[in-house]
Amino acid sequence: AYFNANIPSEEVFITPRAGDAEGIVYATRPFAYRGQLIENFWLRFENGRAVDCGAEKNEDALRSLIAMDEGSCMLGECALVPYDSPIRNSGIMFYNTLFDENAACHLALGMGFADTIKNFENYTLDECRAKGINDSMVHEDFMIGSADLSIDAHTRDGRTVPIFRDGNWAF
């Protein structure tokens, strides 16, 4: 089995299929983007694209991000990180996504990861894109995890399996 740990949280992540996101997501932590803090923001997705957004602070920066290129308004990552993570517990905001993303579950706008496709090494990048890996010049993570986050998986055989309860792994 292949495992590539992201230190210090060992997040579990996947690239969602480009064009499949629906609904509204609310950020739970500030997002440092190009020297600005975007705070208390939300994004509304339709047909996989962020079609609207709002923020209490630096909304123009958020709107600029989702308009950057064809893929910047779509998701490139969905990551599970326990709320009880070393980064969140430190109480420090690093203003660096590679650290800050480890504070909570997060999503990323922009480029997806081709290596999340089974046997990706046997495909060209164009074939990975055709399988749903989003293309963009950006990949920007923002946190959505909270102390009361619950996540359930719905299995192919119809079962519902708890994944997160109260912001942390349920198993």
Side-chain angles (χ1 to χ4, degrees):
Y2 174 75
F3 177 69
N4 184 11
N6 185 2
I7 304 299
S9 70
E10 298 187 357
E11 74 181 80
V12 174
F13 69 94
I14 192 68
T15 292
R17 184 181 315 274
D20 278 357
E22 296 290 333
I24 298 175
V25 64
Y26 296 89
T28 56
R29 296 178 61 91
F31 167 40
Y33 176 66
R34 293 190 167 188
Q36 297 181 60
L37 267 185
I38 303 171
E39 297 184 52
N40 301 317
F41 66 95
W42 56 270
L43 296 157
R44 183 169 54 86
F45 291 89
E46 288 180 4
N47 299 313
R49 298 179 179 280
V51 296
D52 197 12
C53 65
E56 285 182 17
K57 184 176 176 187
N58 291 319
E59 184 176 317
D60 289 345
L62 181 60
R63 290 189 181 279
S64 172
L65 170 59
I66 64 175
M68 186 73 60
D69 62 29
E70 184 67 23
S72 65
C73 63
M74 290 190 275
L75 294 176
E77 179 184 5
C78 176
L80 303 180
V81 176
Y83 187 74
D84 189 25
S85 76
I87 295 293
R88 194 204 57 80
N89 289 342
S90 77
I92 298 170
M93 181 161 180
F94 292 89
Y95 301 90
N96 180 315
T97 300
L98 292 176
F99 293 115
D100 290 332
E101 73 175 0
N102 288 283
C105 290
H106 55 272
L107 300 173
L109 291 165
M111 186 182 332
F113 300 112
D115 63 356
T116 60
I117 294 176
K118 186 175 182 177
N119 300 315
F120 75 96
E121 64 277 2
N122 298 324
Y123 299 106
T124 67
L125 184 56
D126 286 340
E127 289 171 326
C128 290
R129 300 277 185 245
K131 290 180 175 291
I133 301 298
N134 191 36
D135 187 19
S136 177
M137 70 175 118
V138 299
H139 180 94
E140 297 291 342
D141 299 87
F142 62 94
M143 280 58 73
I144 60 168
S146 64
D148 62 353
L149 177 68
S150 290
I151 300 172
D152 290 327
H154 301 285
T155 65
R156 289 183 181 149
D157 64 2
R159 293 179 300 125
T160 299
V161 178
I163 304 297
F164 264 60
R165 288 295 180 265
D166 298 320
N168 294 299
W169 296 109
F171 44 84

